[in-house]
Amino acid sequence: MAQYKGTMREAGRAMHLIKKREKQKEQMEVLKQRIAEETLIKSKVDKKFSAHYDAVEAELKSSTVGLVTLNDMKAKQEALLKEREMQLAKREQLEALREKERKQEQKRKICSLSFTLDEGDEGNVDEEVAAREQPTSAGLSKKKNLGKNPDVDTSFLPDRDREEEENRLREQLRQEWEARRDKVKREEMEVTFSYWDGSGHRRTVRIHKGGTVQQFLKRALQGLRKDFRELRSAGVEQLMYIKEDLILPHYHTFYDFIVTKARGKSGPLFNFDVHDDVRLLSDATMEKDESHAGKVVLRSWYEKNKHIFPASRWEPYDPEKKWDKYTIR
């Protein structure tokens, strides 16, 4: 290359441009090499899939001869595709296993040439022999944690034994709680109610505490049908249960109201008998300990008379809504 003859500033500028062009050439070469590698990988993938589908197509042609229905053809094609995919998966697993064995063999050869690893292996062998020679005690179930300072509080550190003990205790408490809950749900109680058609007709029904409002209405309907003609063709879904001026949904259980100590507009929802407050001394801070009979009503009657007392006071039960604070003596 001919030498440039000029000022030093122009010579430096020329050298800078030459270096910049050489750097751009190197970047272009790297980019070309990367594009070539990506093209090669894509061609390999395309060849793999094309070979896969070519093999399936050839096997499908050989296995289907003559007239075949469309459903049989699709079923045969799906079966061949699944079988081919299983073969390819097995082949990939076999290749991965061979690659793993090759790496292990290579690692073993490298370790055989290292003196430090041999010394470490000999030390490990000596430790294993010493451990075998020591007598084992059957009574020791936990490993000794050596190297810890007994004066340091390590309760905040993770401990497998402590976590297993806590999990076992949690499971035991959960089972005990479920056993007590099931026992309470199996207990029977007497529910006093009044069929309301403008006037009250009081009845009683016995039901388990774990029973739902729908099950209670079903039993109540069985006893009311023989006395009230309009109920003979009615179903459970046509009845409503109103307790303390709240319309209770059919899916709620009596156990839910008892456990949560639910409260209605005019009294508690967890007492299903009827009793009055017989306290001698009145206290404005204490809620009256009285329970009213729930009402069983036809939904059609409620729709016709919901603007008239007492139906005008009724509203759907909302467990999130809290009424006035009260306590039961």
Side-chain angles (χ1 to χ4, degrees):
M1 184 178 70
Q3 294 182 358
Y4 176 80
K5 296 181 180 179
T7 62
M8 293 295 293
R9 185 176 181 180
E10 291 178 352
R13 186 167 176 269
M15 290 297 294
H16 178 71
L17 291 174
I18 293 171
K19 291 181 181 180
K20 187 176 180 181
R21 288 173 184 172
E22 290 178 354
K23 188 175 181 180
Q24 289 178 353
K25 286 182 181 180
E26 291 178 359
Q27 291 178 353
M28 289 296 296
E29 291 295 331
V30 172
L31 185 60
K32 287 180 181 179
Q33 187 176 1
R34 187 181 302 171
I35 293 172
E37 291 177 356
E38 291 178 356
T39 306
L40 182 61
I41 292 172
K42 288 182 180 179
S43 64
K44 287 183 179 179
V45 172
D46 294 339
K47 288 180 181 179
K48 183 184 293 186
F49 280 102
S50 62
H52 169 64
Y53 285 106
D54 291 343
V56 172
E57 189 69 23
E59 191 171 354
L60 183 63
K61 288 180 181 179
S62 63
S63 60
T64 54
V65 180
L67 294 175
V68 183
T69 62
L70 180 61
N71 294 330
D72 294 341
M73 187 73 174
K74 288 182 177 179
K76 188 68 177 177
Q77 187 176 8
E78 290 177 358
L80 290 174
L81 282 172
K82 289 181 180 179
E83 185 178 358
R84 182 67 179 175
E85 288 174 357
M86 290 177 62
Q87 291 177 359
L88 291 176
K90 289 181 179 178
R91 187 181 300 171
E92 290 179 357
Q93 291 178 357
L94 185 60
E95 291 178 356
L97 185 61
R98 288 176 179 173
E99 182 67 19
K100 186 177 180 181
E101 290 178 353
R102 186 184 65 78
K103 289 182 178 179
Q104 289 179 351
E105 181 67 20
Q106 186 177 3
K107 187 176 180 180
R108 188 184 63 80
K109 290 180 180 179
I110 293 172
C111 291
S112 63
L113 298 175
S114 176
F115 297 101
T116 58
L117 291 176
D118 289 338
E119 292 174 1
D121 293 336
E122 291 176 1
N124 292 334
V125 172
D126 295 336
E127 290 177 0
E128 290 178 1
V129 172
R132 290 175 184 175
E133 292 176 357
Q134 292 178 358
T136 59
S137 175
L140 296 176
S141 59
K142 297 181 179 180
K143 297 180 180 179
K144 293 183 178 179
N145 295 325
L146 300 178
K148 289 185 178 180
N149 188 353
D151 298 331
V152 177
D153 182 18
T154 59
S155 59
F156 62 92
L157 295 175
D159 188 353
R160 183 179 298 175
D161 296 336
R162 186 172 65 247
E163 290 177 358
E164 290 178 355
E165 181 67 20
E166 289 178 356
N167 293 334
R168 187 189 61 79
L169 182 59
R170 286 196 190 98
E171 181 65 20
Q172 182 180 354
L173 293 174
R174 185 186 65 81
Q175 292 177 0
E176 291 178 359
W177 179 82
E178 288 183 352
R180 287 200 300 269
R181 182 192 62 183
D182 295 339
K183 183 180 178 181
V184 173
K185 283 186 175 182
R186 288 193 297 268
E187 294 178 358
E188 279 196 352
M189 66 176 182
E190 188 175 66
V191 179
T192 304
F193 69 97
S194 178
Y195 172 63
W196 190 263
D197 57 356
S199 59
H201 309 278
R202 188 163 292 186
R203 299 286 191 277
T204 58
V205 167
R206 294 194 65 82
I207 191 171
H208 295 288
K209 291 182 179 179
T212 61
V213 174
Q214 184 177 13
Q215 294 172 350
F216 157 72
L217 290 174
K218 186 176 181 181
R219 290 193 180 185
L221 184 60
Q222 291 174 358
L224 292 171
R225 273 177 176 164
K226 59 184 179 181
D227 296 331
F228 300 95
R229 184 178 300 175
E230 66 270 17
L231 295 177
R232 291 177 184 175
S233 60
V236 178
E237 64 279 357
Q238 299 175 5
L239 295 178
M240 300 168 58
Y241 181 51
I242 294 89
K243 175 70 173 167
E244 308 299 344
D245 293 332
L246 292 182
I247 303 171
L248 303 183
H250 286 195
Y251 56 84
H252 273 291
T253 64
F254 293 98
Y255 177 79
D256 297 336
F257 302 119
I258 294 171
V259 170
T260 58
K261 298 291 183 183
R263 198 235 193 272
K265 296 172 69 175
S266 57
L269 293 177
F270 50 86
N271 287 334
F272 300 96
D273 56 350
V274 177
H275 62 270
D276 297 326
D277 192 2
V278 294
R279 290 179 294 173
L280 298 177
L281 298 176
S282 61
D283 187 357
T285 62
M286 305 288 290
E287 176 69 19
K288 288 184 177 181
D289 185 11
E290 59 183 8
S291 178
H292 309 95
K295 294 180 178 63
V296 175
V297 182
L298 274 172
R299 195 177 296 274
S300 58
W301 183 93
Y302 171 72
E303 293 295 334
K304 292 178 183 178
N305 300 277
K306 60 183 177 181
H307 61 286
I308 303 173
F309 181 85
S312 60
R313 280 179 51 85
W314 302 344
E315 60 180 270
Y317 170 70
D318 184 5
E320 300 296 330
K321 191 172 183 180
K322 302 297 181 184
W323 302 98
D324 297 337
K325 295 181 180 180
Y326 77 108
T327 55
I328 298 295
R329 184 181 295 275

